[in-house]
Amino acid sequence: MGTDIAGGVELRPLGPGSPWRLADVGLDELPRHYDAFGLLFGVRNFAGFTPVAPGRGLPDDASAELLRLRLTDDEHDHTWVTGTELAAIDWDAPAPRVDDRIHQYQLTGDRMVPAGKSGRNGEAWHAVAGADADSRGSSYPEGTQWRSGSRIWRVERLRARDVLDADRELRALLETVRGLAGQHGGDNVRLVVWFDS
């Protein structure tokens, strides 16, 4: 079973001290994107990012409209992040460690086309790595790679920008939050989320 995100964007149109209101910005279009979940909130953080806003819980002053969005008892990892914090992300920063997953590519002419990511116990790359896979455990250095025909498996380190490049829905959401922050102030806009597995 996978993990999905839910929640909403809240704002204080009258500034600090005024009540939060749910903005007309849905998260329904956000795909299941673990790298985004890990970077922003520390959930399914296989890429090893230092998360921006992990484990804060629901805000004590969450709007009634936002609280009505919560539908199940299976929710977990409630947290939130302000427009100011989102604006401060260094999108060029690399993750502190390599990705837990092996990145897979298909060779097409001179290009390596991304074909997915697999856990270190995945059978396909493991079979190609052979004895090395058995003796090295999960501590391969960045850049280690294995090739079989037109397939390449690589150990890589992601940058925050890789998350945006791979997820146009997240980019659109963050642009909307940035626009609201420009209108109301970064500390008066927040993204409140939770996850369901």
Side-chain angles (χ1 to χ4, degrees):
M1 179 192 285
T3 300
D4 296 305
I5 191 170
V9 175
E10 290 187 309
L11 54 89
R12 287 187 295 205
L14 302 177
S18 66
W20 289 92
R21 295 177 36 197
L22 187 64
D24 188 19
V25 179
L27 304 189
D28 296 339
E29 299 300 316
L30 287 182
R32 181 181 289 168
H33 186 189
Y34 293 160
D35 293 337
F37 299 172
L39 170 67
L40 296 175
F41 308 113
V43 173
R44 299 283 185 159
N45 193 9
F46 302 114
F49 289 114
T50 301
V52 176
R56 294 178 169 174
L58 282 174
D60 292 336
D61 55 355
S63 66
E65 299 93 349
L66 179 99
L67 295 176
R68 279 196 289 273
L69 295 177
R70 301 179 61 224
L71 301 175
T72 72
D73 291 333
D74 295 331
E75 297 162 359
H76 56 87
D77 292 296
H78 301 77
T79 193
W80 53 273
V81 61
T82 66
T84 299
E85 292 169 312
L86 291 171
I89 295 173
D90 178 358
W91 293 102
D92 294 318
R97 64 172 174 79
V98 297
D99 196 329
D100 284 338
R101 299 153 302 175
I102 305 297
H103 295 231
Q104 184 179 153
Y105 294 91
Q106 178 70 39
L107 287 175
T108 306
D110 294 348
R111 295 182 37 224
M112 288 183 9
V113 178
K117 300 172 189 170
S118 61
R120 291 191 182 275
N121 295 324
E123 293 178 15
W125 79 268
H126 221 247
V128 173
D132 184 47
D134 296 331
S135 65
R136 297 291 302 273
S138 62
S139 59
Y140 299 102
E142 184 175 1
T144 301
Q145 71 180 32
W146 303 269
R147 180 175 176 174
S148 177
S150 62
R151 283 282 170 185
I152 291 180
W153 291 268
R154 286 181 50 88
V155 175
E156 296 187 359
R157 181 186 313 262
L158 293 180
R159 294 186 181 282
R161 183 163 311 287
D162 296 328
V163 174
L164 283 185
D165 291 345
D167 191 339
R168 72 172 187 264
E169 292 88 355
L170 176 65
R171 249 188 347 261
L173 173 65
L174 295 181
E175 285 296 323
T176 299
V177 170
R178 184 183 348 190
L180 290 170
Q183 186 178 3
H184 301 286
D187 291 335
N188 294 314
V189 177
R190 66 186 177 195
L191 175 60
V192 183
V193 300
W194 50 87
F195 297 86
D196 188 353
S197 297

